[in-house]
Amino acid sequence: MKYLIAATFTLASTAIAAPTTVQAQEACGTYRVQIGDSLAEISQQAYGFDNHRSIWRENRSEIGRDPNVIRVGSVLKLPCLDGSLPSDQKEASLKDTDTPSVSFVTANGYLPYTDESLDERGLMTNLVKTAMMRGAPEKAFDIVFVNDRAAHVESLLPRQAFDASFPWTRPGCETQGELTSLELYACQNFVYSKPFYEIVDGFFSRTGAGYENVVDFAAFEGAIVCRPEGYSTGHLEENGLMPPAIKLIQPASAHECFERLMRNSVDLVALDTRTGERVMADLNLTYQVSENPHLFSIQSMQVALHRNNPASADIIADLNRGLAAMLETGEWASIVSNGLRDQTNMELVN
């Protein structure tokens, strides 16, 4: 999806078995999960409509954080239509305080922005968490990692299994005549917070190599381009810079890209400006490497919510209020600086 910031980084998908015919069951009882079941199918059979989120909330101790994965043989409590539980199941239910009032979903693999291996689970994760704490301190919330990012917008948000997903880029919805069908889908079905962060993806080359002043992406065709593993290649795709037009090298770190650049084994490093400048300083390459000032791509990182979610306006207001407070106090700048430094330090260690 073009409007997805990290559309091209590799993610481990969460497998969901194709639903089979769920055995008849009724609300206000229990149900033992069969092979091929999904919460949506169970909900439809029990209630005649999609009430899967209520089932998930009442069974989180059994299901866990991911409503897409239910274990065969699990016995699920099916809430009554009035929201209560079967009388013999009430003691086993989760208390309301255990259920987050706002649920966010993101994914691993987009360094340094969202990944459970990073401090604070990534720079963007930390920004969203802090915005909620500053903008709505009275609200409980949870941030869950589900690595099938396409499922976020195709099923999890539309079905309100989660309230919000990040990071996404809002398309230019004001110019609908120029949008692709996928971008139009995003505009019609989702609403977005204000941008939490903007990525300026640029191109770095050895000073004097001839790439630093070109003004057309076509001049990069035939080049060997280095982009660290796990980083989005969306801006390369958008500008026609994917194999076979170029040769793409993806080592483990940004540092290795610049080291290869200085060994003449690659022609260009494609990297966001902040990270590139930091790595250049670490390796004392400030005067040996130049960034092309003409060719770059800007992408914003926002939180997306489905339009049909009745809480979407309130959640966006909470996030935007918290973001404004962070910008005013300098907390935003501190989180960004620390997040980028932590990623650089991790690369140096590795």
Side-chain angles (χ1 to χ4, degrees), residues 141-202:
F141 65 92
D142 195 10
I143 299 176
V144 175
F145 282 71
V146 176
N147 289 343
D148 185 353
R149 282 183 57 92
H152 294 195
V153 293
E154 292 172 358
S155 61
L156 297 181
L157 294 191
R159 288 162 36 199
Q160 296 179 36
F162 294 91
D163 293 304
S165 173
F166 65 88
W168 297 88
T169 294
R170 179 184 180 274
C173 300
E174 296 75 19
T175 57
Q176 293 198 7
E178 303 174 8
L179 298 178
T180 67
S181 59
L182 292 177
E183 290 172 329
L184 189 60
Y185 169 81
C187 291
Q188 292 173 341
N189 290 280
F190 296 93
V191 291
Y192 301 84
S193 69
K194 290 183 177 179
F196 273 73
Y197 188 77
E198 285 190 340
I199 301 174
V200 181
D201 270 313

Side-chain angles (χ1 to χ4, degrees), residues 132-312:
M132 283 299 297
M133 293 169 61
R134 302 295 176 261
E138 75 285 357
K139 288 186 179 179
F141 65 92
D142 195 10
I143 299 176
V144 175
F145 282 71
V146 176
N147 289 343
D148 185 353
R149 282 183 57 92
H152 294 195
V153 293
E154 292 172 358
S155 61
L156 297 181
L157 294 191
R159 288 162 36 199
Q160 296 179 36
F162 294 91
D163 293 304
S165 173
F166 65 88
W168 297 88
T169 294
R170 179 184 180 274
C173 300
E174 296 75 19
T175 57
Q176 293 198 7
E178 303 174 8
L179 298 178
T180 67
S181 59
L182 292 177
E183 290 172 329
L184 189 60
Y185 169 81
C187 291
Q188 292 173 341
N189 290 280
F190 296 93
V191 291
Y192 301 84
S193 69
K194 290 183 177 179
F196 273 73
Y197 188 77
E198 285 190 340
I199 301 174
V200 181
D201 270 313
F203 295 88
F204 299 83
S205 64
R206 294 180 300 279
T207 301
Y211 289 108
E212 61 264 43
N213 290 313
V214 300
V215 296
D216 192 327
F217 286 107
F220 292 157
E221 292 183 5
I224 303 174
V225 179
C226 192
R227 176 78 165 169
E229 183 181 14
Y231 282 58
S232 165
T233 56
H235 75 298
L236 297 178
E237 291 181 3
E238 290 175 4
N239 294 295
L241 297 176
M242 290 293 286
I246 63 161
K247 181 178 180 180
L248 182 62
I249 305 295
Q250 295 182 282
S253 72
H255 282 76
E256 188 173 345
C257 273
F258 279 94
E259 290 166 354
R260 291 187 181 212
L261 183 67
M262 298 314 298
R263 294 198 303 266
N264 293 325
S265 61
V266 302
D267 301 307
L268 295 164
V269 174
L271 196 65
D272 67 274
T273 298
R274 284 179 180 267
T275 303
E277 291 176 350
R278 186 179 294 274
V279 175
M280 286 168 58
D282 289 341
L283 299 178
N284 296 315
L285 298 177
T286 303
Y287 299 105
Q288 297 170 265
V289 174
S290 299
E291 181 182 4
N292 185 300
H294 309 294
L295 302 177
F296 55 87
S297 176
I298 300 176
Q299 298 186 79
S300 61
M301 288 186 170
Q302 293 157 275
V303 179
L305 302 91
H306 199 273
R307 288 185 181 276
N308 291 340
N309 187 331
S312 61

Side-chain angles (χ1 to χ4, degrees), residues 44-76:
Q44 189 66 38
Q45 291 291 329
Y47 301 97
F49 59 91
D50 189 355
N51 193 35
H52 79 279
R53 190 167 184 175
S54 293
I55 300 176
W56 176 53
R57 282 179 168 170
E58 297 298 347
N59 293 274
R60 286 194 71 190
S61 61
E62 177 67 31
I63 297 173
R65 288 186 164 188
D66 187 352
N68 284 314
V69 180
I70 53 177
R71 190 172 64 253
V72 173
S74 298
V75 177
L76 305 181

Side-chain angles (χ1 to χ4, degrees), residues 93-109:
S93 69
L94 292 173
K95 296 180 180 179
D96 290 342
T97 54
D98 291 332
T99 301
S101 59
V102 181
S103 55
F104 294 89
V105 61
T106 187
N108 286 296

